[in-house]
Amino acid sequence: MKVELIGAGETVQVYESKSSSRLLYSGLKEGADVPYECATGTCGTCKVKRISGEFSWLWPEAPARALLKSADDFLLCQCAASTDLKIEVRSKLKDLKEIAQRPQWLTGEINNSATVAPGVMTFSVKLSQPISFLPGQFMVIEFAGIQGGRAWSMTNEAKLTDTLDFVIKKKPQGLLSDYLFAKENLIGLKANLFGPIGKAVYDGALDRDLVCIAGGTGMAGMMSILSAFIASGAYLRNRADVFFGVRTPADLFFEQELKQFIEQSKGALRVIVAFSDAAASPEFIAANPLLKFDQGFVHEVAMREMEGHFTPKTRAYLAGPPPLVDGALRMLLLKARLPATEILYDKFG
Ligand SMILES: Cc1cc2nc3c(=O)[nH]c(=O)nc-3n(C[C@H](O)[C@H](O)[C@H](O)COP(=O)(O)OP(=O)(O)OC[C@H]3O[C@@H](n4cnc5c(N)ncnc54)[C@H](O)[C@@H]3O)c2cc1C
Ligand code: FES
């Protein structure tokens, strides 16, 4: 089916999409400037308006459908073309021909997994072919028997690789996370993956001081960003302040990896862990001399610690639950006066 996107300023892009394919994924595969954020039906960023043609819903219960106002509005990530379609997009369409790595459908299987904190596990997927991605990007992952894909960010260094590492939390009543956490052995479990996608990305060549604020497994993409911060040598001219929020000391994970980054950064990186529900004991603090600890909501701790330290080169990365990301966004825009273009985020709604 032919899909014609009509953007602001009379910009037009055309791509092909099968009747079984999500219009968002077909567009991304073909390099079209289709709007998106979560790619999985929760945020509403991919909302468009039908000008002509027919579409069908692949997941009619998608939460972001509640944000639509007319029967002609639909979500590119949850709909497929039934006929040729002409669609109105609110923004001006940019020419994306320069994208180094277009997202695609890939297959892979889990080749290791570990529980790293209560209700938090890491696992790796060995792909049938190597790919590269940008630090901070994510994949949409599907497993047989569970409807729909889930967005999970890569934690590993974003070089050409055939293995992607993830860290995921057990969502209360979450269908796929329940399934994965209940399974005794995940090794060999096959997955279909679409990606890499995501715009909250880091480029080590950019001259930016980083402020990373993450809650729980929001730390996933930050780990990939910090790998790039070290590997690219950006730490020699920029600094990174990382704020990692978890409930209690028992919920902390990635301590060893973070300590390694701190050692490699030669003083350019500091990591402050904020506990929202319980303070760290003196023994815990003594056992983790390279990490700093504080108490409270992580975005509030971050603003307190960063007061007077924002620079014209500051770029903020935020990831985690909506209250954290929204709270951090408000503070960074209104108090720190960071330009909106320098605040990149992934909201785990
Ligand atoms: C950009 C981004 C990056 C993320 N990165 C991480 C990460 O690194 N680590 C992490 O722990 N969490 C991450 N999340 C959150 C993660 O995606 C959710 O926690 C996860 O989807 C929970 O899945 P579940 O099956 O346990 O929960 P459920 O509540 O069962 O499902 C959650 C999501 O699955 C999709 N879904 C469910 N049913 C269907 C269906 N029938 N058809 C189509 N889609 C369906 C929807 O998107 C739904 O919101 C990220 C989210 C986003 C948006
Ligand atoms: S990108 Fe479609 S709802 Fe988020």
Side-chain angles (χ1 to χ4, degrees), residues 119 169-178 181 247:
K169 70 164 185 289
K170 187 174 183 333
K171 185 179 166 185
Q173 278 94 49
L175 215 60
L176 183 52
S177 54
D178 268 355
F181 277 85
R247 283 178 202 278

Side-chain angles (χ1 to χ4, degrees), residues 22 37-43 58-63 77-78 121 136-139 146-155 166-179 197-198 216-221 345-349:
R22 288 167 200 275
E37 198 179 294
C38 74
T40 49
T42 56
C43 72
L58 298 175
W59 187 33
E61 299 82 18
C77 73
Q78 298 303 330
M121 74 154 86
Q137 284 197 303
F138 66 95
M139 304 293 283
I146 307 279
Q147 266 197 309
R150 307 300 191 262
W152 283 319
S153 312
M154 280 71 84
T155 63
F166 300 95
V167 61
I168 69 162
K169 70 164 185 289
K170 187 174 183 333
K171 185 179 166 185
Q173 278 94 49
L175 215 60
L176 183 52
S177 54
D178 268 355
Y179 169 76
I197 52 174
T217 50
M219 202 59 199
Y345 60 87
D346 279 329
K347 234 187 256 188
F348 293 8

Side-chain angles (χ1 to χ4, degrees), residues 126-142:
K126 176 107 166 56
L127 301 171
S128 52
Q129 65 181 87
I131 62 158
S132 57
F133 59 92
L134 300 173
Q137 284 197 303
F138 66 95
M139 304 293 283
V140 176
I141 310 187
E142 294 180 351

Side-chain angles (χ1 to χ4, degrees), residues 206-227:
L206 279 184
D207 185 17
R208 290 287 189 284
D209 294 322
L210 309 186
V211 176
C212 302
I213 307 176
T217 50
M219 202 59 199
M222 305 296 180
M223 297 305 283
S224 188
I225 288 173
L226 294 177
S227 289

Side-chain angles (χ1 to χ4, degrees), residues 101 103-108 127-131 139-140 164 191-196:
Q101 171 85 45
Q104 57 187 314
W105 278 106
L106 298 153
T107 56
L127 301 171
S128 52
Q129 65 181 87
I131 62 158
M139 304 293 283
V140 176
L164 301 178
N192 292 321
L193 306 91
F194 181 78

Side-chain angles (χ1 to χ4, degrees), residues 30-208:
E30 291 202 26
D33 186 18
V34 276
Y36 76 98
E37 198 179 294
C38 74
T40 49
T42 56
C43 72
T45 307
C46 66
K47 176 185 130 171
V48 292
K49 190 179 272 308
R50 170 202 7 224
I51 299 172
S52 64
E54 297 299 324
F55 59 86
S56 65
W57 283 89
L58 298 175
W59 187 33
E61 299 82 18
R65 196 172 178 184
L67 305 170
L68 307 181
K69 297 206 171 77
S70 101
D72 285 329
D73 290 346
F74 64 100
L75 302 173
L76 286 174
C77 73
Q78 298 303 330
C79 292
S82 310
T83 65
D84 288 350
L85 268 175
K86 207 180 229 189
I87 299 171
E88 184 188 315
V89 180
R90 276 171 299 174
S91 52
K92 196 168 177 175
L93 301 171
K94 292 193 281 294
D95 189 355
L96 301 182
K97 286 211 173 61
E98 299 309 315
I99 304 175
Q101 171 85 45
R102 291 229 185 127
Q104 57 187 314
W105 278 106
L106 298 153
T107 56
E109 65 178 49
I110 293 185
N111 67 357
N112 76 61
S113 72
T115 299
V116 292
V120 179
M121 74 154 86
T122 55
F123 68 84
S124 303
V125 176
K126 176 107 166 56
L127 301 171
S128 52
Q129 65 181 87
I131 62 158
S132 57
F133 59 92
L134 300 173
Q137 284 197 303
F138 66 95
M139 304 293 283
V140 176
I141 310 187
E142 294 180 351
F143 290 96
I146 307 279
Q147 266 197 309
R150 307 300 191 262
W152 283 319
S153 312
M154 280 71 84
T155 63
N156 50 327
E157 197 184 327
K159 56 185 182 194
L160 187 70
T161 178
D162 65 358
T163 304
L164 301 178
D165 298 334
F166 300 95
V167 61
I168 69 162
K169 70 164 185 289
K170 187 174 183 333
K171 185 179 166 185
Q173 278 94 49
L175 215 60
L176 183 52
S177 54
D178 268 355
Y179 169 76
L180 294 178
F181 277 85
K183 232 171 147 37
E184 228 162 71
N185 182 8
L186 294 179
I187 309 299
L189 193 64
K190 296 197 182 324
N192 292 321
L193 306 91
F194 181 78
I197 52 174
K199 299 173 186 169
V201 297
Y202 172 65
D203 176 356
L206 279 184
D207 185 17
R208 290 287 189 284

